[in-house]
Amino acid sequence: DEAIASFKEVLSIREDYSPAWNNLGMAMSLLSRYEEAITSYDRALDLNRHSHKTWYNRGNALMKLNAFDEAIRSYEETLKLRPDYTEAWYNRGICLTHMERAVDAIASYDKALQYRPHFSNALYNQGNLLYKLEQYKEALNKYNRVLEIKPNQPEVWYNRANCLRKLGFHEEALDSYNKTLTLAPKAHEALFNRGKTLEALCQPEEALDSYAQALAIQPQLTEAWYTRGGVYQKMGEFEEAVASYDRALSCDPSLMAAWSSRGTALRKLGRYEEAIQSFEQALKLEPNSAEVWYRRGRALEFLGENEAAIASYDKAIAQNSQLDRAWYSRGVAFSRLGQQEKAIANFDKALQINPNFMDAESRRRIALRQQTAQSPTTQPQF
């Protein structure tokens, strides 16, 4: 406030002193009074349109107000006067990022790096944008360059690990997550993704331990509960899987995948009515899910409700006519109802989609034999 008063006093004596208007704007910005700051910068620019610092400061105030388009115009005026002004290129890149113009933002950061090759923040931001564009190899290169400059940045090690995991380099990703956790032991997202990497490396027990550590730090981490359930399910520990899915759903009742996976685990436990209820909860959230309609049909089959199962398979096929398992299971249900001709037609369809579907081939032969056995025998005439 004292600085503002001083600058105003100067301006009361000499109203046409451009630097004082600029300094007043800077003082206003420090107090987060950005609209007033912009007014001061505009007064300064009315008196001197060749001050690159005033254009730059005006851009910063506009960026704080999320007026990104206008901020970019101010930065571009700065760069007309000082093409090597690194910070203007950098802040222009930030504005372009906010406007979801990733390619243009990367180019702006490139210009900043042209004048300051070791500008780690620009490299890091480029890496993040390239990751979002699914250009993982290029993003990895940017993160590696940042770490050459600043080797102890946990967020960079974490993003590097994510790139490596996306590229399928799971051992290297694991090392990078471990480095992240050395620098930031309570980084629950790193613990979670470390768990997923351990799963990919076929180390389920270690993955479960990593998920447990993540959940100890952040008990509401829905995806960790859900993924933990998936590990238990693959291990055949279906009670533990159901318990994990229940925790995921207590965090987010709208997680359709958890309802569906829970239903499958309940079916594996022989709790078919509960499984059907779980599938129906999933279908309330995503009524067009072919997979869930298929799974619901399987649970109904185990209850001996073959006609209801067929209706569920019909729904699945209506959503995905190439779902060979639905055609196959529909054929099994028809066979159990004694309708072998329909069963054979469904097995044929499953084999048309997947010629290597051995169960469908085997069931088709059984249905043909049963169809022959059901046919009336023609008696010889004398």
Side-chain angles (χ1 to χ4, degrees):
D1 286 348
E2 287 180 15
I4 289 170
S6 295
F7 294 132
K8 285 185 174 179
E9 186 176 348
V10 170
L11 289 164
S12 69
I13 299 165
R14 187 178 166 189
E15 193 176 0
D16 62 350
Y17 189 41
S18 173
W21 284 112
N22 179 65
N23 292 341
L24 178 61
M26 291 173 68
M28 294 287 191
S29 287
L30 287 172
L31 295 172
S32 301
R33 291 161 61 178
Y34 300 116
E35 292 90 345
E36 293 171 84
I38 291 164
T39 300
S40 290
Y41 295 137
D42 285 342
R43 291 294 301 273
L45 290 166
D46 286 341
L47 296 164
N48 177 14
R49 301 196 68 78
H50 300 291
S51 171
H52 68 277
K53 287 186 178 179
T54 305
W55 282 112
Y56 174 72
N57 291 339
R58 183 178 186 272
N60 291 347
L62 287 160
M63 183 165 66
K64 290 288 188 181
L65 293 171
N66 297 332
F68 301 118
D69 246 335
E70 199 173 344
I72 287 170
R73 284 194 287 273
S74 276
Y75 293 134
E76 287 174 351
E77 291 295 332
T78 305
L79 293 163
K80 285 178 187 176
L81 298 163
R82 275 282 304 274
D84 63 345
Y85 205 133
T86 307
E87 290 79 6
W89 285 114
Y90 176 74
N91 286 359
R92 181 177 179 272
I94 292 174
C95 289
L96 289 163
T97 300
H98 281 291
M99 295 171 71
E100 299 185 358
R101 291 169 57 185
V103 174
D104 292 334
I106 290 167
S108 203
Y109 292 134
D110 274 335
K111 292 294 289 187
L113 289 159
Q114 178 183 327
Y115 298 109
R116 194 194 301 174
H118 299 293
F119 195 172
S120 61
N121 286 353
L123 287 164
Y124 179 68
N125 288 356
Q126 280 189 322
N128 293 345
L129 288 167
L130 288 162
Y131 185 89
K132 287 181 182 177
L133 292 170
E134 300 182 3
Q135 297 179 30
Y136 303 119
K137 186 176 179 181
E138 293 81 356
L140 179 62
N141 290 335
K142 298 295 181 182
Y143 295 136
N144 286 339
R145 285 183 63 191
V146 175
L147 291 167
E148 288 171 7
I149 301 162
K150 293 184 176 180
N152 294 319
Q153 301 294 308
E155 66 279 4
V156 186
W157 283 106
Y158 173 69
N159 289 356
R160 179 180 186 270
N162 290 342
C163 283
L164 287 163
R165 187 165 64 85
K166 290 286 188 180
L167 291 166
F169 301 133
H170 299 296
E171 291 283 2
E172 291 178 59
L174 183 60
D175 290 341
S176 216
Y177 286 128
N178 286 337
K179 181 66 176 180
T180 305
L181 292 162
T182 300
L183 296 166
K186 293 190 179 298
H188 63 272
E189 289 287 356
L191 286 162
F192 171 64
N193 282 332
R194 180 178 178 271
K196 292 174 79 172
T197 304
L198 287 161
E199 264 196 86
L201 290 168
C202 302
Q203 298 179 43
E205 295 289 352
E206 292 84 350
L208 287 171
D209 181 63
S210 208
Y211 295 141
Q213 291 180 59
L215 289 163
I217 296 164
Q218 177 50 271
Q220 299 302 307
L221 191 58
T222 307
E223 196 176 355
W225 286 114
Y226 171 68
T227 309
R228 180 177 182 264
V231 177
Y232 277 122
Q233 192 155 323
K234 288 174 188 173
M235 294 169 69
E237 298 185 29
F238 300 114
E239 292 282 4
E240 288 285 356
V242 171
S244 285
Y245 294 138
D246 284 343
R247 288 298 301 270
L249 290 164
S250 72
C251 298
D252 181 6
S254 68
L255 187 60
M256 188 282 282
W259 285 111
S260 179
S261 297
R262 180 178 182 271
T264 298
L266 287 164
R267 179 175 67 78
K268 294 283 189 178
L269 289 166
R271 293 157 61 180
Y272 303 123
E273 291 89 349
E274 292 175 77
I276 290 164
Q277 289 170 8
S278 205
F279 292 134
E280 287 175 353
Q281 285 294 327
L283 289 165
K284 286 178 183 177
L285 296 165
E286 288 191 27
N288 297 326
S289 172
E291 183 64 30
V292 180
W293 281 113
Y294 164 73
R295 293 183 186 187
R296 180 178 178 273
R298 292 280 288 146
L300 287 161
E301 261 195 87
F302 277 98
L303 285 172
E305 297 183 23
N306 290 301
E307 290 181 352
I310 289 167
S312 209
Y313 297 138
D314 287 344
K315 290 279 194 178
I317 290 164
Q319 299 303 323
N320 180 6
S321 63
Q322 298 302 300
L323 190 60
D324 56 350
R325 289 169 295 130
W327 288 106
Y328 167 75
S329 295
R330 190 169 182 266
V332 172
F334 274 122
S335 184
R336 287 176 178 155
L337 290 170
Q339 300 179 39
Q340 304 307 331
E341 187 175 345
K342 289 184 178 180
I344 292 163
N346 278 271
F347 297 139
D348 284 342
K349 184 65 179 177
L351 288 162
Q352 179 186 331
I353 297 164
N354 179 7
N356 298 316
F357 199 155
M358 301 307 294
D359 286 346
E361 182 62 46
S362 175
R363 280 282 193 169
R364 184 181 185 279
R365 287 197 297 270
I366 293 168
L368 281 167
R369 285 199 299 271
Q370 290 176 341
Q371 186 183 44
T372 302
Q374 289 170 359
S375 299
T377 303
T378 303
Q379 298 296 323
Q381 300 296 315
F382 297 99

